[in-house]
Amino acid sequence: MRFVEAGDLRLSVIGLGTWQFGSREWGYGSTYAEDTAPEIVRRAIELGVTLIDTAEIYGFGRSERIVGGAIAGRREAVVLASKLVPLLPLPGVVERQVHGSLRRLGVDAIDLYQVHFPNPFVSPRSTMAPLRSLLEEGLVRQVGVSNHTLGRWRASERGLGRPIRTNQVRFSLASPLPHWELVPYAREEGRLIIAYSPLGQGFLGGGHSKHSGAPADIRRSSGLFRRRSLELAEPLLGALRGVAAAHAATPAQVALAWLIGQGNVVAIPGARTVAQLEENVAAAELELSAAELAMLTAEAARFDLATRR
Ligand code: NAP
């Protein structure tokens, strides 16, 4: 495993996303929630993953409970990241929300507490005020943001009165926009991008095609899995397969290596099986050449432009 630092946090370049844990929208079922998900967490820690990402909203608290149960006795090995839904970011409300997450996770403090998305009706300063108190009380070790534009990220830093080291955003070869704005900012200012849906929710894994259609879960409503998008993606998916073959790797591993190869980016893929997790973790060791990175970036840009038209 390789690591990057964000303030006093040491994050594995491949983390673990846990939206799937206990969430109806992914439809992975009760055996997954009870047996596979805890096993995925345990194996991830064994393989050197430190960053585990959850949120109060995933499975309405079930994801936090599953993660909490699985890390019991291994707390020190983990950088625990959760998220606050900032519907009403008033001090009393946020206190209740963080205590709910702490209880479900079974810990005294959350290492990285992220504002899940900006609330357009509340200023960054007002959103950050209660979070500053949580830092002072030691209930959270660092504040992060998610789904923030560069402008809102910087305004949130001013509101908090200290650097916000991480912004968790949708970022993959299928959604490459952060490459041109957020990543350069992160690189220059000592910040990190946490790439969510780094496999395009499985789109880049090579198992979906225009013939197979969208999976019968949350992805049915995703524009990415529509027939037209799968057709437009053929050159990108072909390029991924080509690079994968040259490295005796899989398309999913190349998709992750492209992200972490940019520096100042960590990826948090979700997994349906322990085998997928192991495959994803192994991508930490895969280094792509500058030419391969540039070729994949160009294919991603072409796909992005084509789907916007
Ligand atoms: P993702 O990680 O891109 O895709 C996960 C899915 O891809 C898996 O459920 C699995 O689905 C497939 N997969 C995983 N490993 C694979 C492999 N090696 N080969 C082929 N397919 C593979 O998408 P995500 O779950 O949306 O994003 C990851 C994490 O980011 C979430 O768990 C969550 O923690 C976070 N997230 C945050 C936000 C936010 O607003 N901050 C939003 C979304 C997600 P199948 O096997 O069923 O195809």
Side-chain angles (χ1 to χ4, degrees):
M1 182 52 71
R2 287 186 291 125
F3 299 89
V4 287
E5 312 227 319
D8 54 358
L9 303 178
R10 190 158 177 266
L11 307 182
S12 50
V13 291
I14 300 291
L16 174 65
T18 67
W19 175 16
Q20 285 78 357
F21 292 10
S23 295
R24 282 242 167 90
E25 55 271 32
W26 279 88
Y28 286 174
S30 56
T31 311
Y32 176 80
E34 284 154 28
D35 302 333
T36 313
E39 190 49 37
I40 285 173
V41 173
R42 280 191 285 272
R43 185 73 180 127
I45 296 172
E46 237 170 56
L47 293 173
V49 169
T50 60
L51 174 60
I52 299 185
D53 180 75
T54 181
E56 60 176 348
I57 202 171
Y58 295 163
F60 300 107
R62 280 193 290 275
S63 171
E64 286 183 328
R65 273 194 211 95
I66 293 169
V67 169
I71 63 164
R74 306 173 180 80
R75 171 70 183 98
E76 296 316 313
V78 170
V79 176
L80 202 48
S82 193
K83 306 188 202 79
L84 163 90
V85 173
L87 276 191
L88 198 62
L90 299 170
V93 179
V94 170
E95 280 273 338
R96 262 202 305 282
Q97 284 175 278
V98 79
H99 279 291
S101 287
L102 290 169
R103 194 179 56 249
R104 288 186 291 272
L105 289 163
V107 298
D108 301 329
I110 294 170
D111 299 315
L112 179 62
Y113 198 44
Q114 304 156 105
V115 176
H116 207 141
F117 45 81
N119 180 336
F121 304 107
V122 183
S123 72
R125 181 170 295 279
S126 302
T127 305
M128 286 298 148
L131 289 161
R132 201 171 34 242
S133 308
L134 301 187
L135 280 170
E136 284 157 11
E137 290 169 68
L139 297 176
V140 313
R141 301 210 167 102
Q142 288 228 13
V143 168
V145 291
S146 176
N147 294 304
H148 279 48
T149 60
L150 181 54
R152 179 89 189 200
W153 185 3
R154 298 179 71 164
S156 301
E157 302 201 86
R158 289 193 293 277
L160 187 67
R162 62 172 85 180
I164 294 178
R165 300 277 176 199
T166 63
N167 188 1
Q168 182 180 136
V169 294
R170 177 182 295 126
F171 186 21
S172 72
L173 283 164
S175 305
L177 277 187
H179 170 81
W180 289 280
E181 188 181 51
L182 292 176
V183 172
Y185 172 72
R187 204 178 289 130
E188 280 154 29
E189 301 294 332
R191 308 286 192 270
L192 281 178
I193 299 301
I194 300 180
Y196 79 67
S197 303
L199 299 172
Q201 299 194 322
F203 180 80
L204 300 167
H208 303 275
S209 75
K210 62 185 178 189
H211 306 294
S212 57
D217 50 40
I218 178 90
R219 294 172 283 190
R220 207 185 270 280
S221 58
S222 155
L224 261 188
F225 287 86
R226 297 220 175 98
R227 191 186 168 85
R228 176 87 186 118
S229 152
L230 283 158
E231 276 168 4
L232 291 171
E234 252 322 299
L236 170 61
L237 297 176
L240 261 180
R241 285 192 295 270
V243 177
H247 288 270
T250 65
Q253 289 174 324
V254 174
L256 295 171
W258 176 78
L259 285 168
I260 61 180
Q262 310 194 26
N264 292 74
V265 178
V266 302
I268 49 167
R272 185 172 43 80
T273 61
V274 173
Q276 280 182 346
L277 162 87
E278 289 171 342
E279 183 178 324
N280 297 340
V281 168
E285 314 306 328
L286 175 59
E287 271 190 53
L288 304 181
S289 69
E292 288 169 328
L293 288 170
M295 186 273 286
L296 289 169
T297 304
E299 286 298 347
R302 262 193 288 277
F303 171 68
D304 191 53
L305 266 181
T307 50
R308 278 165 201 280
R309 269 197 206 111

